[in-house]
Amino acid sequence: MATKKKTTIKDIANVLGITPSAVSKALSNHPRISDKTKTAVLQIAQNLNYQPNHLASALRKGKSNLVGVIIPKANSHFFSSIIEKIEEVLNEKGYNVIIAQSNESYKKECKSIDALLYTQVDGIIASMANETVKLDYYEKIKSKGIPLILFDRGENDLNVDYVGIDDYLSSHLVIEHLVEQGCKRIAHIAGFSHTRIYKNRIRGYRDALEKFGLPIEESLIIESNLRIEDGRRIMNQLLGLKNRPDAVYAAGDYAALGALQVLQENHINVPEDIALVGFTNEPFTSLVTPSITSVEQHSEQIGKVAAETLLMRLDSPNEKVSLNKLILPAELIIRSSSKKLA
Amino acid sequence: MATKKKTTIKDIANVLGITPSAVSKALSNHPRISDKTKTAVLQIAQNLNYQPNHLASALRKGKSNLVGVIIPKANSHFFSSIIEKIEEVLNEKGYNVIIAQSNESYKKECKSIDALLYTQVDGIIASMANETVKLDYYEKIKSKGIPLILFDRGENDLNVDYVGIDDYLSSHLVIEHLVEQGCKRIAHIAGFSHTRIYKNRIRGYRDALEKFGLPIEESLIIESNLRIEDGRRIMNQLLGLKNRPDAVYAAGDYAALGALQVLQENHINVPEDIALVGFTNEPFTSLVTPSITSVEQHSEQIGKVAAETLLMRLDSPNEKVSLNKLILPAELIIRSSSKKLA
DNA sequence: TATATTTGTTTCAACGTTTGAACAAAAATA
DNA sequence: TATTTTTGTTCAAACGTTGAAACAAATATA
């Protein structure tokens, strides 16, 4: 059971009595190699169970064919389906994907970036941690000339390709829907406004209220990490107001779920007393009772476009193609939690 | 903005007028290199923003410091927290982690294994796809002498280290609890019995029923993929029986959730009419109404042990340490869906 | 003082693959 | 037949790092 010596290109060459170089060329289907040698090489490669040494070829070619993907946390449908799609598109083109989770921590994110750079990835696709404000590590990626694509959680200041949805418009969709249901005091459980997407959702929320002639009340806008516990905390806070809202628009489904729990614990009818809308259309939104209205972001589409944009950058690294800000459409999925009218 | 030539060990050597070899040794803190050179090298490395070329060193050392992790799907708390822990333990020791999702597909799993082997990972930690019955690709890993650790979804026949919980005993816990609640006809929405863990849960279920003197009825045991839709389908099937069960034990939380939906749609009271228990303790089990009783598998612990076992194998590759079958304890989390007695 | 040991460095080959240049043989063209 | 072109291969260097062995200088031991 001794560790079997791995078959190399040289072994194949020896068997056939030709040079390693010829074998290499045969394997990569070089035009100047005869069909006879090519088939012979392929045959022997098969027999000896030859597996190309990726490290050697990557070193020589200066290209690892590895792509890093950084996400806050894989444990949501949104991110895991994006990854799935990214893998699908990139594998197709011979790239492998390394996934790193930041766990919403800036420090972990930095470590992940370092790890990816160390592994010599050819490109990075990332969605930033909530915590991240300093962009130094992302600048580091850029300064190394490694293509960087951001999705979902992006940052304008970085000046890199970005793929996401129109958060501003999404908020409009949400508010419009709630107004149609007769809501007049709509609270917003917001994400931190230093993150672009949440800032835009807040902006959309404000502008939409204004558009519909509703007053903007600062006490109804509360920023957080949007976890379940944040939703709970903030919902309690909102219930404590002497003038309660009649609708809550959460910028994330988990926060919406936390809010729903608190509402139910307080025997407040949803949507009759307080309507509720979330964001991201996590699968559970359709599973809880009442089901939660949410915004579908078409994650597969985001993953696909992000991967394709990266491929484009990898194929033409020097070309000064104009920066892409790809804004995909979002869709409001209306469910029981906000449907006052039959 | 021309692609900056990367700094190499050679550049540092040139600056200091010493050999690349000396620099290499200085960087790896070789005892024979003087402290003077060491600090000088470190200084220059810093100045030139030197980043070691992992590919070159991996090639030379025959070790990539990369570990592959294969999971069915990241989008569950169970798997994502295991990954988090694995990353934590392995990063600590200088390893980076590549995550591959099989999406429960045998074909995708094979592709992932090939990709990981191609990337020259030093070891693989995997949980098998539901679909997987043929073990040829896992044998391939073994035959290459690459350490393989299985967790959760394992296979006895492979003869490799395994980390998981005591599924057999877990089923006993579940049945015992249901019997205590007065249930007499307990159905089992099972996983496919070709997978070890599900086989053991079924075995535990049968033996526990016997132990409590309850009859085993084959029509109450139905195997599936345990997705929400499977839970729905099977629950409908169970409701169609002329003699309905008074409790349902699902071998997965998603299946349990599907069952719960169908029960609610049919206005069957849970737990009064039919009690329900799931498995894995996914976060949503505590979030739905009624909250679902489930089995907590201590995923961080599984991740930790799996990673540590791999490290052990990597450290002493030849040592014929006896195979580890690490069976960790599981815990029944009792919630509303099964609590008939106050 | 002669010899042995330690210290700090260099030399050199290797890891496995790739690629441009060189070359010989075969085929095409004059 | 002489020359050019094409075809199929080999040669040699390179990618960046590493580590065993060689070596010289400095230090310790006899």
Side-chain angles (χ1 to χ4, degrees):
Chain A
M1 198 95 334
T3 327
K4 303 178 183 162
K5 206 78 189 63
K6 289 204 191 110
T7 324
T8 76
I9 236 172
K10 221 169 161 178
D11 299 324
I12 302 179
N14 287 339
V15 172
L16 292 170
I18 55 175
T19 7
S21 158
V23 176
S24 167
K25 289 187 171 108
L27 288 172
S28 57
N29 205 24
H30 188 108
R32 290 282 272 281
I33 296 291
S34 70
D35 288 348
K36 207 185 70 187
T37 353
K38 279 181 188 167
T39 49
V41 165
L42 250 40
Q43 179 61 54
I44 303 295
Q46 179 108 54
N47 290 355
L48 299 185
N49 189 24
Y50 168 73
Q51 295 282 138
N53 185 324
H54 158 256
L55 296 170
S57 106
L59 173 60
R60 174 61 230 248
K61 297 207 278 198
K63 192 160 190 285
S64 70
N65 273 44
L66 253 31
V67 167
V69 177
I70 304 175
I71 51 168
K73 201 121 178 58
N75 98 34
S76 72
H77 173 75
F78 178 66
F79 283 117
S80 79
S81 66
I82 285 185
I83 286 179
E84 198 177 322
K85 200 69 190 182
I86 291 178
E87 274 188 326
E88 185 185 318
V89 174
L90 292 181
N91 286 346
E92 178 77 14
K93 298 287 180 183
Y95 287 94
N96 274 119
V97 173
I98 302 187
I99 301 161
Q101 301 188 72
S102 68
N103 294 323
E104 300 288 10
S105 141
Y106 170 68
K107 219 173 130 194
K108 180 79 202 307
E109 191 171 65
C110 295
K111 278 179 68 176
S112 298
I113 292 177
D114 272 341
L116 291 177
L117 292 177
Y118 175 68
T119 317
Q120 316 267 111
V121 292
D122 292 336
I124 292 181
I125 300 178
S127 186
M128 291 168 42
N130 261 333
E131 239 184 65
T132 304
V133 223
K134 276 179 72 185
L135 303 176
D136 49 345
Y137 271 71
Y138 282 101
E139 292 290 357
K140 194 166 158 186
I141 300 173
K142 277 182 67 184
S143 78
K144 288 204 183 297
I146 293 173
L148 170 64
I149 315 285
L150 293 179
F151 69 93
D152 189 46
R153 315 261 195 83
E155 252 303 335
N156 274 316
D157 305 347
L158 263 172
N159 236 4
V160 294
D161 295 310
Y162 172 82
V163 185
I165 59 153
D166 193 330
D167 290 284
Y168 179 78
L169 203 67
S170 299
S171 281
H172 273 265
L173 291 177
V174 170
I175 301 303
E176 183 178 20
H177 164 66
L178 287 173
V179 167
E180 275 172 7
Q181 308 298 310
C183 301
K184 303 255 180 265
R185 285 176 56 74
I186 304 172
H188 184 31
I189 302 183
F192 287 118
S193 56
H194 59 70
T195 308
R196 178 212 287 193
I197 59 170
Y198 298 125
K199 185 167 63 195
N200 286 340
R201 287 179 201 173
I202 295 171
R203 216 162 43 81
Y205 160 85
R206 288 176 183 274
D207 289 3
L209 286 189
E210 198 161 340
K211 179 170 133 200
F212 290 108
L214 295 176
I216 291 163
E217 234 175 285
E218 295 306 327
S219 59
L220 294 183
I221 310 174
I222 303 163
E223 297 183 12
S224 78
N225 266 320
L226 296 177
R227 293 161 307 181
I228 290 182
E229 53 265 41
D230 300 307
R232 294 188 61 97
R233 179 174 46 78
I234 294 171
M235 193 66 237
N236 273 314
Q237 190 176 330
L238 289 171
L239 290 181
L241 293 176
K242 52 173 177 279
N243 199 358
R244 285 181 178 178
D246 58 6
V248 172
Y249 160 37
D253 282 332
Y254 282 96
L257 182 59
L260 180 60
Q261 289 174 3
V262 169
L263 287 169
Q264 292 185 322
E265 285 161 19
N266 287 276
H267 305 293
I268 293 169
N269 291 323
V270 179
E272 293 78 7
D273 300 339
I274 296 186
L276 181 66
V277 176
F279 210 108
T280 323
N281 202 27
E282 283 292 331
F284 71 76
T285 52
S286 68
L287 304 176
V288 292
T289 317
S291 55
I292 302 174
T293 296
S294 192
V295 178
E296 163 64 41
Q297 305 188 72
H298 300 294
S299 42
E300 296 83 7
Q301 188 63 14
I302 292 184
K304 182 162 176 278
V305 174
E308 285 169 348
T309 310
L310 179 65
L311 282 176
M312 187 264 285
R313 294 288 172 201
L314 289 170
D315 284 347
S316 44
N318 304 317
E319 233 172 89
K320 271 263 138 293
V321 192
S322 68
L323 268 194
N324 284 318
K325 298 278 171 213
L326 290 154
I327 305 300
L328 307 172
E331 189 187 347
L332 184 66
I333 310 289
I334 298 171
R335 299 203 180 85
S336 316
S337 73
S338 69
K339 221 178 332 189
K340 291 200 187 184
L341 320 167
Chain B
M1 197 93 337
T3 328
K4 302 175 183 162
K5 206 76 186 62
K6 287 203 192 110
T7 328
T8 75
I9 236 172
K10 220 170 163 178
D11 300 323
I12 302 178
N14 286 339
V15 173
L16 292 171
I18 56 175
T19 354
S21 163
V23 175
S24 166
K25 292 194 172 83
L27 288 171
S28 57
N29 204 23
H30 188 109
R32 291 281 273 281
I33 296 291
S34 69
D35 288 346
K36 207 184 68 185
T37 344
K38 279 181 187 167
T39 50
V41 165
L42 250 39
Q43 179 61 54
I44 303 294
Q46 177 109 53
N47 290 354
L48 299 185
N49 188 27
Y50 168 74
Q51 296 282 139
N53 186 325
H54 157 257
L55 296 170
S57 109
L59 174 61
R60 175 60 229 252
K61 299 207 278 197
K63 191 158 189 288
S64 69
N65 272 43
L66 252 32
V67 167
V69 177
I70 304 175
I71 51 168
K73 201 119 178 62
N75 98 34
S76 72
H77 173 74
F78 178 66
F79 284 118
S80 78
S81 66
I82 285 185
I83 287 179
E84 198 177 320
K85 201 71 192 180
I86 290 179
E87 275 188 326
E88 186 186 316
V89 173
L90 292 182
N91 287 347
E92 177 77 14
K93 297 287 179 182
Y95 287 93
N96 274 118
V97 173
I98 302 186
I99 301 161
Q101 302 188 71
S102 68
N103 295 320
E104 301 287 12
S105 139
Y106 170 68
K107 219 174 130 193
K108 180 78 201 309
E109 190 172 64
C110 295
K111 278 180 68 176
S112 298
I113 291 177
D114 273 340
L116 291 177
L117 292 178
Y118 175 67
T119 318
Q120 317 267 113
V121 294
D122 292 337
I124 292 181
I125 300 179
S127 185
M128 290 169 42
N130 260 334
E131 239 185 67
T132 304
V133 222
K134 276 179 74 185
L135 302 176
D136 49 346
Y137 272 71
Y138 283 100
E139 293 289 357
K140 195 166 157 185
I141 300 174
K142 277 183 67 185
S143 78
K144 287 203 184 298
I146 294 172
L148 169 64
I149 315 286
L150 292 179
F151 68 93
D152 189 46
R153 316 259 196 84
E155 251 303 335
N156 274 316
D157 305 345
L158 263 171
N159 236 4
V160 295
D161 294 310
Y162 172 82
V163 184
I165 57 153
D166 193 331
D167 290 284
Y168 180 77
L169 203 65
S170 300
S171 280
H172 273 265
L173 290 177
V174 171
I175 301 303
E176 183 177 21
H177 163 67
L178 287 173
V179 167
E180 275 173 8
Q181 307 298 309
C183 300
K184 304 255 179 264
R185 283 176 57 74
I186 305 172
H188 184 32
I189 303 183
F192 287 118
S193 54
H194 60 69
T195 309
R196 177 212 288 195
I197 58 171
Y198 299 125
K199 185 168 63 197
N200 285 340
R201 288 181 201 171
I202 295 171
R203 217 162 42 82
Y205 159 84
R206 288 175 183 273
D207 288 4
L209 285 190
E210 199 162 338
K211 178 171 131 198
F212 291 107
L214 295 177
I216 291 163
E217 234 176 284
E218 294 307 327
S219 59
L220 294 183
I221 309 175
I222 303 165
E223 297 184 12
S224 78
N225 266 318
L226 297 176
R227 293 161 305 182
I228 289 181
E229 54 265 39
D230 300 309
R232 294 189 60 98
R233 179 175 45 78
I234 295 171
M235 194 64 236
N236 272 314
Q237 189 176 332
L238 289 171
L239 290 182
L241 294 175
K242 53 175 179 280
N243 200 358
R244 287 180 177 178
D246 58 7
V248 172
Y249 160 36
D253 282 332
Y254 282 97
L257 181 59
L260 180 60
Q261 289 174 2
V262 169
L263 288 169
Q264 290 185 323
E265 285 161 19
N266 286 276
H267 306 291
I268 293 170
N269 291 324
V270 179
E272 292 78 8
D273 301 338
I274 297 186
L276 181 66
V277 176
F279 210 108
T280 324
N281 201 25
E282 284 294 329
F284 72 75
T285 51
S286 67
L287 304 176
V288 292
T289 318
S291 55
I292 303 175
T293 296
S294 193
V295 178
E296 164 64 42
Q297 307 188 70
H298 300 294
S299 41
E300 296 82 7
Q301 188 63 13
I302 293 184
K304 181 160 176 280
V305 173
E308 286 170 348
T309 309
L310 180 64
L311 282 176
M312 185 264 283
R313 293 289 170 199
L314 289 170
D315 284 348
S316 43
N318 303 318
E319 231 173 272
K320 271 264 138 291
V321 191
S322 68
L323 269 194
N324 283 317
K325 298 279 171 209
L326 291 153
I327 306 300
L328 307 171
E331 188 186 349
L332 185 66
I333 311 289
I334 298 171
R335 299 204 180 85
S336 316
S337 74
S338 69
K339 221 178 333 191
K340 290 200 187 185
L341 320 167

